[in-house]
Amino acid sequence: MIDVNKIRKDFPILRKKVNGQNLIYFDNAATSQKPSKVINSISEYYFNYNANIHRGVHFLSQEATDQYELSRKKIQKHFNISKLNEIIFTSGTTHGINIVASGYSSILRKGDEIIVSALEHHSNIVPWQMLCERTGSVLRVIPIKMEGSLDINAFHKILNGKTKLVVVNHVSNALGLINPIKDIIDMAHKFGSKVLIDGAQSAAHFKTDIQLLDIDFYVTSAHKLCGPTGVGFLYGKELLLNEIPPFQGGGEMISDVTFQKTTYADLPHKFEAGTPNISGGIAFGFALDYLNEIGLENIANYENELLKYCTNKLNEIDDIEIYGNSKNKIAVISFNVKGIHAYDIGSILDKLGIAVRTGQHCAQPIMDFYQIPGTVRVSFSFYNTKKEIDIFILGLEKAIKMLR
Ligand SMILES: *Cc1c(COP(=O)(O)O)cnc(C)c1O
């Protein structure tokens, strides 16, 4: 069970007024708010032990290194990863995807195939298109069905011996649908393909067991799970990470540098060139601690309640179309009101202190599929309440009246 009133006290920003109203933050799929525990861990680092890591013999450097590496261990435990050196700190999901896409330039040959899904965020489409341009590989797409879920039969037909990589998100940021990644991974492995899972939208809402699912590459961002922006991690099976070349050259990622030849450091440092986001990495660990204190199962149950509550209320309003109607979804609702532009609804809600997202949600192919310019998206977190949903529904009804 979740004590939402107690939890809300952990998030200082929720006390904020926007346009004279209590802030109602329903844009959690874009980024979540941060609890004091996480915010404080950042100032604590700068107040008390700011130093560069992995290099100094001195006291502060050791303390900073210990804290940063402790975060790596927290990630290992949370996601059930076999080896610490399979965890690469990144600046976020986008960075992680680009490390793999860039590395695969040296593995893919002309005519090889990469499969993406039609539900992807642009950051899980564009790097693969760029990789195909560099290598002459072919990008193939798993289509979606009208209700928004992936057409798994079509996936089976596209998959073949030339498929080298399948890349798919665990949860779609635009529609909130949970994809059947276990089936996708097992099927891809039968054809010898590797699989990259984009966990940016799922990690805040339920636990992912990387070893159990036999995931080859996994990426996520801290900022969607109560952590800071500018940090995330890439997981790759040790064997696979050893196969691909470094993404960036620089300090930290080398073992020996001469002008004749440079040799690279071992994992994970081979992919961690330069001074990282140290405070961010440390705060990432605190964010995982925070989520685990509440419990991911409690979070999922409570958010699911909010999802049902809001979906029912929305369905009572005339002319509302919700996109992505699957039972398997997180607390994200993407919708339109017939004859009204999503942006206009968003603007009026903003005047009422309610933050929602409008537009394409970095997933233009989905909008093209439904032949719409965009949607209004509300996305909940465990610190949202039914009372906030009531206020949102009243605001939406008011907006519809004004815009009709
Ligand atoms: C947010 C998001 C991304 C991009 O994450 P960044 O933190 O901006 O790198 C990628 N995929 C999905 C599904 C997302 O929700």
Side-chain angles (χ1 to χ4, degrees), residues 22-37:
N22 292 326
L23 164 69
I24 294 181
Y25 187 76
F26 284 172
D27 195 16
N28 293 285
T31 197
S32 71
Q33 297 302 343
K34 324 300 173 198
S36 304
K37 188 184 178 104

Side-chain angles (χ1 to χ4, degrees), residues 29 92-94 121 123 169 171 173 198 200-201 221 223-224:
T93 301
T94 304
H121 188 282
S123 71
N169 59 41
V171 169
N173 61 300
D198 169 356
Q201 204 54 244
S221 300
H223 72 92
K224 289 184 180 162

Side-chain angles (χ1 to χ4, degrees), residues 64-76:
T65 304
D66 288 349
Q67 286 300 319
Y68 191 72
E69 289 305 319
L70 179 60
S71 265
R72 207 189 299 267
K73 292 191 185 110
K74 289 174 183 175
I75 292 169
Q76 178 185 30

Side-chain angles (χ1 to χ4, degrees), residues 203-220:
H205 306 286
F206 52 84
K207 240 176 164 157
T208 300
D209 186 322
I210 285 181
Q211 286 188 84
L212 187 72
L213 290 163
D214 199 17
I215 296 173
D216 298 302
F217 296 104
Y218 180 87
V219 287
T220 197

Side-chain angles (χ1 to χ4, degrees), residues 298-317:
N298 293 330
I299 288 174
N301 289 337
Y302 178 71
E303 289 177 349
N304 198 37
E305 239 178 76
L306 295 180
L307 172 67
K308 279 198 206 135
Y309 186 75
C310 189
T311 305
N312 288 339
K313 294 238 157 187
L314 280 174
N315 281 331
E316 285 169 15
I317 301 176

